[in-house]
Amino acid sequence: MSDDTFWYKGITFPRAYYSPGILRKVQEEFVLKDEDVVTVTYPKSGINWLIEIVCLIHSKGDTKWVQSVPIWERSSRVETVPGFASANKKEGPHLLTSHLPIHLFPKSFFSSKVKVIYVMRNPKDVIVSSYFFWNSINGVKKSKSVEQRLEWFLEGKVPYGSWFDHVRGWVSMRERGNFLLLSYEELKRDTKRTVEKICQFLGKKVEPEELSLILKNSSFEVMKENKICDYSMLGDVCSVDKNPLMRKGITGDWKNHFTVAQAEAFDKLFQEKMADLPRELFPWE
Ligand code: A3P
């Protein structure tokens, strides 16, 4: 599989999984309905964890669905070629997933009550997670080191473009009633409270014992054992045997990969680029 890419409205996409025609259709024609739920993140920010939680909320903690249907079928990634086909095949209401920046997201979002949950993550951890993940996926450009991945990330020459633009675009939706802004860090720090927040946003009432099952079955340990969340079962996508999605599942792993100088330069850039946004929006060091 080649690592060919193309540019679409300022963003680079690997040709193996995306096409300009589908990206245009998703934005211009795909109709999001009021009863749909869309989980959105910049890549490597915890989307699979979020999907698992939302699916388990729907099943009230029961694992039949999450252990029999692959995660990418339960919640189609609408902008990919296979995800678009599967989203159009299914009857609604839809549980959908996207990594699109807001300027490429379906326009129907702005005139519907579809519920969107956006999770952001410390960008330094995103870089480390991306380095390991993309290097195990076929059809995408591999980086030689975390340092090279960091350079590409800062230039925005990575799938889905600049993290700063992505987060800035989505964070601007935070006052909308049909939008929930979360972070990987708060999910890690207080999973129970954050899952309760998601239930409330989705209008789902769960009993305490159902909540316990949701928490247990969406834990890193249980998800790591769930083969149905494992990209390595897609032989043509993944070039490693072990599940590349479930690597460490911690906050602050960047400390094991960034030099002090890299971290300081990154933080300085972060402050410059995000200076106009309240710092408390970003709950990481
Ligand atoms: P690491 O590579 O840092 O371990 P995405 O799902 O958006 O591709 O993000 C993948 C990251 O989310 C990985 O981070 C993965 O370990 C982490 N993750 C997935 N499921 C998780 C869970 N249940 N709890 C904590 N982290 C999880």
Side-chain angles (χ1 to χ4, degrees):
M1 203 179 269
S2 82
D3 63 358
D4 249 9
T5 56
F6 64 90
W7 287 86
Y8 182 80
K9 298 192 180 177
I11 311 268
T12 177
F13 289 95
R15 212 175 277 283
Y17 309 106
Y18 303 85
S19 88
I22 300 282
L23 289 168
R24 190 196 58 74
K25 279 191 185 164
V26 168
Q27 186 179 19
E28 303 293 335
E29 295 167 22
F30 192 79
V31 180
L32 291 169
K33 311 232 178 56
D34 292 354
E35 54 291 1
D36 293 342
V37 174
V38 194
T39 52
V40 184
T41 69
Y42 186 84
K44 309 319 295 168
S45 303
I47 203 146
N48 288 281
W49 190 11
L50 178 63
I51 297 170
E52 203 74 349
I53 290 170
V54 171
C55 289
L56 284 162
I57 291 173
H58 276 272
S59 68
K60 295 189 174 283
D62 186 279
T63 54
K64 261 196 259 31
W65 187 33
V66 300
Q67 291 193 347
S68 59
V69 181
I71 199 158
W72 52 90
E73 282 178 22
R74 277 183 266 134
S75 182
S76 312
R77 171 102 35 92
V78 68
E79 68 270 15
T80 63
V81 175
F84 184 73
S86 115
N88 278 297
K89 241 185 343 213
K90 272 192 237 160
E91 299 278 308
H94 289 119
L95 176 56
L96 299 162
T97 289
S98 179
H99 286 318
L100 286 173
I102 197 149
H103 77 281
L104 298 183
F105 200 65
K107 288 185 173 164
S108 55
F109 165 62
F110 297 96
S111 55
S112 79
K113 296 197 183 84
V114 54
K115 292 192 165 86
V116 173
I117 309 177
Y118 185 79
V119 174
M120 54 186 176
R121 185 182 191 188
N122 185 337
K124 288 183 287 197
D125 282 335
V126 167
I127 293 165
V128 172
S129 185
S130 310
Y131 166 72
F132 289 101
F133 180 76
W134 294 118
N135 277 14
S136 66
I137 295 293
N138 297 328
V140 296
K141 207 166 146 197
K142 311 273 184 283
S143 44
K144 286 197 226 69
S145 58
V146 171
E147 188 178 9
Q148 188 175 50
R149 177 57 59 184
L150 168 64
E151 272 167 33
W152 294 352
F153 183 93
L154 292 177
E155 290 165 357
K157 289 185 182 161
V158 285
Y160 294 99
S162 156
W163 179 92
F164 299 97
D165 294 345
H166 203 281
V167 167
R168 175 179 284 288
W170 279 108
V171 157
S172 72
M173 298 290 115
R174 66 191 183 280
E175 300 301 333
R176 292 174 75 111
N178 61 336
F179 180 79
L180 179 64
L181 177 66
L182 298 174
S183 69
Y184 181 91
E185 287 68 25
E186 70 179 304
L187 252 176
K188 278 296 292 186
R189 198 176 44 243
D190 196 345
T191 316
K192 181 166 177 281
R193 212 187 118 261
T194 314
V195 170
E196 283 170 339
K197 227 189 208 181
I198 299 173
C199 290
Q200 199 179 14
F201 175 71
L202 296 178
K204 298 275 179 192
K205 191 171 163 5
V206 291
E207 299 302 328
E209 59 281 12
E210 294 167 344
L211 181 61
S212 303
L213 285 175
I214 295 166
L215 294 173
K216 176 175 153 233
N217 292 316
S218 62
S219 67
F220 184 82
E221 294 69 28
V222 171
M223 280 184 69
K224 200 175 166 90
E225 292 309 312
N226 186 356
K227 288 285 150 222
I228 225 81
C229 300
D230 189 343
Y231 278 26
S232 58
M233 68 191 256
L234 298 171
D236 54 339
V237 171
C238 202
S239 53
V240 292
D241 296 336
K242 58 180 191 308
N243 186 353
L245 276 182
M246 309 300 298
R247 193 182 62 92
K248 280 195 177 175
I250 59 169
T251 56
D253 191 35
W254 62 268
K255 292 174 196 156
N256 298 315
H257 297 276
F258 276 56
T259 63
V260 173
Q262 280 170 340
E264 283 176 4
F266 190 94
D267 292 348
K268 188 163 170 283
L269 188 78
F270 183 95
Q271 272 149 25
E272 282 163 21
K273 284 191 178 270
M274 306 308 239
D276 56 323
L277 290 168
R279 185 61 186 92
E280 35 320 336
L281 274 181
F282 308 114
W284 51 78
E285 317 142 53

